[in-house]
Amino acid sequence: MRRIVAIGIIAACVFPTTLSAQVIKFDITERSAAFAGRSFGDVGPYERITARATIALDPADDRNAVITDLALAPRNAEGRVEATADVVILRPADPSRGNGTLLLDVPNRGRKLAPQLFDDSAQPGANRAEQASDAGIGFLHRQGYTMVWVGWQADMPSKPGQMALVAAVLKGVTGPMREEFVFDNITNPARAPLTWPAADPANIAVTVRAAWADARQTPPQLAVRLVDPSTAEITRPDGFDAGALYEVTYTARDPATLGMAFAAVRDVASFLRNDRTAANPLLVGLNPSVNRAIGFGVSQSGRFLRDFLYLGFNEDTRGRVVFDGLMPHIAGTRRMATNVRFGQPGRNPRHPQDPAWQADLFPFTYATLTDPLSGRTDGLLRRCSLSATCPKVMQTDSEHEWWASHASLLVTDLRGDHLDLPDNVRAYMIAGAPHFAGPDDHMKSVPVMALPQNPMHAGAPMRALLTDLDRWIRDGVTPPASRVPMRAHGTLVAAGGAVPTNIPGLPYKAIHTPNAFSDQSVLPAKEIGRYPVFVPRADTDGMAVAGVHMLALAVPRATYTGWNPRAQGYGPTAFFPLQGAVIPFAPSEAARKDANDPRPSLAARYADDEAYVGAVRKEAERQVAERLLLREDAERAVEAAKQGKLAKLGQ
């Protein structure tokens, strides 16, 4: 592996075009052959570049002024606020063989998740990109994408396998802080990491309750103390199970300017696609090797992209479009608690936690609406519309987000009525999918969940949709129509009547995550009102009617859901976070009748294995024609059906 000495390019003095992108230094620390030299079709091998990018922001620039506390942060000699981001690039070793598209995968808690989703690669290899097998099926590489990751999270350290941002810190600043913990164990006392260091060991308190809707309690046995400024130890009382909710309040100190995260992604992406100096590692001849860009993010980083768009960061400091396309995945209608003092970027409120946290604030959807609770008028596209920098947006969610992250607010107004998406936005629900499953997952029982764990990996439809998005921004080819539940279609309904109640082993009692508006300036936060939230209507098999149906669901051998209740002893009135469930069909009509199961048996659905494989092949051809499945994935699915592996019901 050859290493290159880091070269700092001082752009403010030497390269004025770099300064315009606010990247003042791009230090390359390593260049090496990726994936042990593995070659990918016509594209050939890939190169891996590791670097650190330093940005310097002018607080007086209107495009930066939205960043909370930037004006209070320490400045360099030029009066700018600096931050340094980890950067990793994978590009074709011969850039002329690339497809010209930069795919920036916003890291999730410092990790790369796009390779797991699009390439079926496994962690930790997906983060390393060293061995040939780390590239999985090599889909992104065979397509010729230049892949980029930029560390953005400033409340965690940079270390091997974890990309981060070093941002300015407001030393000596203090403020109130609130955190919630669900331990899912009976360890007593239990330790909990605090997002920010505590300023005063005496000023910390804790409450407990069995569910969010319950009143906070402070029984005599309940206690909390600081082990160190960043760790709390909670003594847990009797009478509460492993899924109880603990709320800790304290005074925090020394916040980082977390909102610089959005500028780091903006400026590095703009630098790589626009800079024409020797500092840019993507420069080939006189021009960068990429001429368009897609921003992609999974879960936490999908919520990052929704905030990135909302806050106006798709316009760089020269007024140029940063991303031609955005693809937030499994974000629901959430954003982030990042561009706030003492933010919590790593927090995603989960059932049964606070449904009115800073990640769940209006606006929820892309169109501009007026919020009856706050009185504000806003929308995710409002700022980019004013600057003519709106990207094409393809939001993809698992079914889980429609139960747990109030995704219905994408396509309803705030009265609960049907709402059309803007012309530059498409939305797709991957029916019957959990939040995120690995490519090699299989059905299994887990003690904390009431039902067997759903193993459905969304790689196949996501590869097709990414291809559709790339064609949309490259050639103007309109992608397939949105595939989501809608009020106007009768496929988005109130939770009480969403799922059949007569399927054995499928207990559903109108559980879903609500969405509320509250006053977060007081502790505890005071709820002011709630927004209407709906969930997908299920068919007689218990599976969502609407959405993109993977072949295992379209030609089913089991019921797959995007939700899974907590087991007894783990807070059974709520969902277990991020998971779905799977309930196999009875093998025969006799077994079905014995179980009093209304779902047709496998024998009633398919005459034999050959008939099942034939049904999979026919459905695969239909989905290929609709551009919801690639030919290579259709062939893989048919082969998996032949081997009895498509349904993922066994090891």
Side-chain angles (χ1 to χ4, degrees):
M1 180 180 296
R2 59 191 179 94
R3 297 182 182 273
I4 291 183
V5 177
I7 301 175
I9 306 297
I10 310 301
C13 300
V14 183
F15 298 113
T17 56
T18 306
L19 176 62
S20 68
Q22 301 195 12
V23 172
I24 62 167
K25 192 186 299 184
F26 197 86
D27 296 335
I28 296 175
T29 57
E30 183 179 339
R31 300 180 84 138
S32 61
F35 309 114
R38 176 179 168 183
S39 186
F40 300 93
D42 295 336
V43 178
Y46 264 68
E47 178 185 33
R48 185 177 189 269
I49 300 171
T50 303
R52 289 178 66 78
T54 301
I55 64 171
L57 305 184
D58 180 1
D61 188 322
D62 288 343
R63 300 177 182 93
N64 298 327
V66 70
I67 299 172
T68 297
D69 288 334
L70 187 67
L72 303 179
R75 305 190 188 191
N76 64 15
E78 287 74 39
R80 299 189 173 213
V81 182
E82 294 189 12
T84 303
D86 297 325
V87 180
V88 173
I89 300 170
L90 288 174
R91 71 166 194 177
D94 180 353
S96 68
R97 297 187 179 187
N99 68 2
T101 300
L102 184 154
L103 179 66
L104 193 150
D105 173 27
V106 179
N108 178 301
R109 292 167 178 81
R111 304 163 300 163
K112 306 169 186 173
L113 291 188
Q116 288 183 266
L117 191 61
F118 293 118
D119 293 321
D120 291 4
S121 61
Q123 291 287 16
N127 259 345
R128 293 193 302 253
E130 293 175 351
Q131 305 302 316
S133 60
D134 292 345
I137 62 173
F139 169 76
L140 293 173
H141 317 82
R142 285 184 281 109
Q143 302 303 309
Y145 286 100
T146 294
M147 291 159 268
V148 177
W149 293 266
V150 179
W152 61 270
Q153 199 169 337
D155 63 334
M156 66 183 194
S158 171
K159 61 183 182 180
Q162 181 170 288
M163 305 176 67
L165 179 77
V166 178
V169 174
L170 305 182
K171 289 289 187 181
V173 171
T174 62
M177 189 67 185
R178 177 170 68 102
E179 307 205 41
E180 293 177 330
F181 302 98
V182 178
F183 294 107
D184 285 325
N185 60 49
I186 56 174
T187 301
N188 196 15
R191 292 193 173 185
L194 302 179
T195 305
W196 299 102
D200 181 1
N203 187 19
I204 186 169
V206 63
T207 65
V208 65
R209 47 191 156 162
W212 170 257
D214 296 347
R216 295 171 173 86
Q217 298 185 44
T218 55
Q221 301 149 305
L222 179 66
V224 63
R225 72 177 185 91
L226 286 175
V227 176
D228 57 55
S230 297
T231 308
E233 184 179 80
I234 300 172
T235 301
R236 304 165 72 175
D238 296 334
F240 292 89
D241 68 11
L245 176 62
Y246 294 85
E247 185 176 57
V248 175
T249 55
Y250 61 100
T251 299
R253 61 175 170 83
D254 302 339
T257 48
L258 297 180
M260 294 185 77
F262 301 107
V265 170
R266 174 196 67 190
D267 293 343
V268 172
S270 182
F271 166 76
L272 291 173
R273 70 176 295 188
N274 294 306
D275 189 83
R276 287 170 170 78
T277 73
N280 186 355
L282 299 187
L283 192 71
V284 178
L286 299 177
N287 297 297
S289 59
V290 294
N291 51 40
R292 57 191 163 271
I294 294 174
F296 174 76
V298 176
S299 189
Q300 180 205 36
S301 46
R303 296 185 288 115
F304 176 100
L305 287 179
R306 284 169 51 85
D307 242 0
F308 179 93
L309 177 62
Y310 169 63
L311 294 170
F313 285 97
N314 205 48
E315 177 189 10
D316 75 5
T317 54
R318 293 184 61 183
R320 298 171 298 197
V321 171
V322 177
F323 294 112
D324 306 281
L326 284 184
M327 196 176 195
H329 181 55
I330 54 178
T333 55
R334 288 182 158 149
R335 292 188 285 114
M336 306 196 81
T338 296
N339 193 37
V340 292
R341 182 177 292 181
F342 294 114
Q344 293 179 268
R347 178 192 167 100
N348 180 22
R350 301 168 179 172
H351 215 214
Q353 295 171 314
D354 185 354
W357 197 255
Q358 292 144 318
D360 295 303
L361 297 179
F362 171 84
F364 307 107
T365 193
Y366 296 91
T368 296
L369 302 173
T370 297
D371 177 15
L373 297 180
S374 68
R376 295 173 52 222
T377 297
D378 216 340
L380 297 187
L381 295 177
R382 194 177 190 192
R383 284 178 174 83
C384 68
S385 296
L386 294 174
S387 60
T389 56
C390 288
K392 292 178 170 61
V393 179
M394 183 177 281
Q395 176 156 336
T396 54
D397 285 298
S398 75
E399 187 186 325
H400 180 80
E401 276 59 61
W402 291 75
W403 299 90
S405 297
H406 35 76
S408 66
L409 289 166
L410 274 177
V411 290
T412 68
D413 63 22
L414 298 176
R415 297 183 302 273
D417 295 328
H418 172 83
L419 180 70
D420 289 325
L421 291 167
D423 290 341
N424 65 320
V425 179
R426 296 289 186 277
Y428 305 91
M429 181 185 81
I430 313 300
H435 184 70
F436 193 85
D440 298 322
D441 286 356
H442 289 85
M443 181 185 75
K444 60 183 178 181
S445 295
V446 183
V448 294
M449 300 177 209
L451 301 173
Q453 187 175 11
N454 186 330
M456 280 296 123
H457 173 63
M462 289 300 295
R463 286 186 281 271
L465 291 171
L466 176 63
T467 302
D468 292 331
L469 177 57
D470 192 47
R471 291 186 66 193
W472 195 12
I473 66 174
R474 179 201 301 259
D475 303 319
V477 178
T478 305
S482 295
R483 301 291 183 96
V484 294
M486 292 186 181
R487 296 288 285 161
H489 298 168
T491 53
L492 190 61
V493 298
V499 180
T501 58
N502 61 341
I503 299 176
L506 197 67
Y508 178 68
K509 298 178 180 178
I511 302 173
H512 67 291
T513 300
N515 192 17
F517 176 65
S518 67
D519 180 357
Q520 296 281 340
S521 68
V522 297
L523 290 179
K526 180 181 178 182
E527 185 173 309
I528 295 172
R530 294 203 170 193
Y531 303 100
V533 173
F534 301 93
V535 298
R537 181 169 67 85
D539 61 17
T540 55
D541 283 334
M543 290 191 283
V545 173
V548 177
H549 287 69
M550 292 181 285
L551 291 177
L553 279 80
V555 188
R557 302 183 73 85
T559 292
Y560 299 88
T561 74
W563 51 271
N564 197 330
R566 288 174 167 272
Q568 290 295 324
Y570 294 91
T573 61
F575 284 146
F576 193 82
L578 311 183
Q579 302 301 326
V582 55
I583 305 295
F585 297 147
S588 65
E589 281 297 285
R592 179 189 72 79
K593 292 176 181 177
D594 286 346
N596 198 28
D597 191 339
R599 302 172 300 164
S601 67
L602 290 174
R605 294 169 189 264
Y606 315 110
D608 51 29
D609 289 344
E610 185 176 344
Y612 166 67
V613 172
V616 171
R617 182 180 291 109
K618 181 178 179 180
E619 174 64 18
E621 290 297 323
R622 185 186 68 80
Q623 293 193 16
V624 169
E626 294 185 355
R627 291 188 290 144
L628 297 171
L629 187 69
L630 299 179
R631 173 63 59 190
E632 63 178 87
D633 280 313
E635 293 172 355
R636 273 193 287 265
V638 170
E639 185 58 32
K642 290 178 180 178
Q643 298 177 13
K645 297 180 179 180
L646 182 64
K648 305 183 81 168
L649 300 179
Q651 297 297 324

